[in-house]
Amino acid sequence: MDRTPDTVAAVDWEAHCREAVAAYDAATTTAELEEAHVHYLGRKAALPQALRGVRDRETGMTLNAGRRTIEEAEAEARTRLDRGAVAGDYDVTLPGEAPRRGRLHLITQIRREVEDVFLGLGYEVVDGREVETTHYNFDALNFPGWHPARSPGDSFFLDETRVLRTETSPSQIRTMEERGGPPIYMITTGRVYRRENVDATHTQTFHQVEGLAIDEGITLADLKGTLLHFMRAIFGPERRVRFRTHYFPFTEPSIEPDVSCFLCDGAGCSVCKHSGWLEMGGAGMVDPALFEFVDASAYDPEKVSGFAFGLGLERIALLRHGLPDIRLLWANDLRVLGQF
Ligand code: DAH
């Protein structure tokens, strides 16, 4: 015999609903609210069960009305508790926990700054490659066979003909080949690799900026003016630049540029080792032999001339920020890198 109607009839649903509403009103935690839900509206609760077995319309309407009442009580309780949680559990006026913001590595910042300076002079920024052939890294740059950089003791060779570039200068050759003739005003920036003993001023991977200007009538004075502009942009408007003679296989004449010390302005201090000057890299007039290697008809050494330079980005960073050790730039210590 089906006893559901009797059971349904036997329950005082009004009292049941009052009890439910009171339970929801009394709930002070989400756990209590969930408990009331299980008890009055859950799958096994009396009223929903009764609703499932209902046969006559009248009882159905009564039970449905009761369920709505209970559901409303539940919604109210939920809103009340949610609001209470906001007001009671935490103080919305306290400053939030700011997510830690990342930032660009100091070398990346300097690289971009350097690129900006030369873009401002109308130079292009071109990409080079880190794995080079010995042709581009040495031969086409006029490196003599005996040059120590050609030995596995100084450079990282992948095999007989491939090497991790030891400088950004190979991009001079690649750019001249690609452009097929003057004018060229380009820089390239990136990593270079040398088998160094690592110490406070040497790492086996570091960054350079390489510049190349090829046109008719370019002189050493243009090189000096360009580097002066660059040094002033990086180290301040009062800087002076001087050239010392030097040797590089791919420039003739070759020089090393110095910039007057930005800290003491030449008077002598610990940054410039009391010389008043800071050594900044290498430069010179492009050796006509390079034009011959690339294409002497496109770059006629009688008409075309150019200058080139190569500077270390780490050196700029160390000098400008007074960093005592180049390895700090590679240690990934946020206490250091976070300062820039
Ligand atoms: N490649 C040289 C080095 O790594 C730097 C350099 C010197 C680059 C003279 C040049 C240059 O373009 O003309 O030591």
Side-chain angles (χ1 to χ4, degrees), residues 166-167 169 172 194 208 210-211 248 250-251 282-284 308-310:
T166 58
E167 52 192 354
S169 306
Q172 292 186 29
R194 289 183 197 173
Q208 290 185 332
E210 185 86 17
F248 296 103
F250 36 89
T251 42
F309 56 85

Side-chain angles (χ1 to χ4, degrees), residues 29-205:
T29 64
T30 348
E32 280 169 19
L33 184 121
E34 290 313 322
E35 206 179 295
H37 178 84
V38 171
H39 199 75
Y40 296 105
L41 293 172
R43 215 161 39 80
K44 291 185 185 153
L47 190 140
Q49 284 242 335
L51 257 173
R52 243 169 269 140
V54 134
R55 294 284 138 83
D56 68 299
R57 196 172 122 82
E58 198 123 333
T59 319
M61 281 169 65
T62 312
L63 291 184
N64 265 324
R67 183 168 68 176
R68 267 196 304 279
T69 308
I70 299 175
E71 281 172 351
E72 274 161 27
E74 177 175 284
E76 246 169 63
R78 200 174 290 282
T79 312
R80 174 170 53 79
L81 286 180
D82 282 351
R83 242 191 252 129
V86 171
D89 290 358
Y90 49 85
D91 180 350
V92 292
T93 64
L94 284 175
E97 254 179 67
R100 297 218 314 185
R101 283 182 71 187
R103 65 184 73 202
L104 295 174
H105 191 281
L106 177 58
I107 292 299
T108 307
Q109 293 180 36
I110 291 195
R111 174 173 63 72
R112 291 188 178 185
E113 212 179 302
V114 167
E115 289 172 355
D116 278 352
V117 174
F118 283 102
L119 285 170
L121 288 173
Y123 281 59
E124 283 175 79
V125 179
V126 308
D127 262 342
R129 37 182 99 181
E130 294 183 19
V131 175
E132 264 302 358
T133 62
T134 49
H135 171 76
Y136 286 103
N137 199 83
F138 300 123
D139 303 338
L141 285 168
N142 207 30
F143 274 70
W146 51 261
H147 199 286
R150 286 183 181 264
S151 84
D154 275 20
S155 306
F156 293 105
F157 282 85
L158 302 176
D159 55 33
E160 290 278 297
T161 59
R162 288 180 303 166
V163 63
L164 293 184
R165 67 175 174 191
T166 58
E167 52 192 354
T168 41
S169 306
S171 60
Q172 292 186 29
I173 305 296
R174 290 193 179 274
T175 307
M176 281 196 272
E177 283 182 356
E178 268 162 33
R179 296 302 139 91
I184 293 174
Y185 292 88
M186 76 84 175
I187 62 157
T188 188
T189 56
R191 292 184 175 198
V192 300
Y193 303 86
R194 289 183 197 173
R195 212 183 266 283
E196 302 274 8
N197 289 321
V198 176
D199 62 22
T201 53
H202 297 89
T203 45
Q204 301 199 329
T205 307

Side-chain angles (χ1 to χ4, degrees), residues 141 143 166-170 172 192 194 206 208-212 223 246-257 280-287 307-312:
L141 285 168
F143 274 70
T166 58
E167 52 192 354
T168 41
S169 306
Q172 292 186 29
V192 300
R194 289 183 197 173
F206 56 103
Q208 290 185 332
V209 51
E210 185 86 17
L212 177 71
L223 171 60
H246 201 74
Y247 165 78
F248 296 103
F250 36 89
T251 42
E252 182 60 37
S254 301
I255 60 104
E256 282 193 330
M280 289 312 302
M285 298 305 288
V286 175
D287 192 316
F307 64 72
F309 56 85
L311 315 170

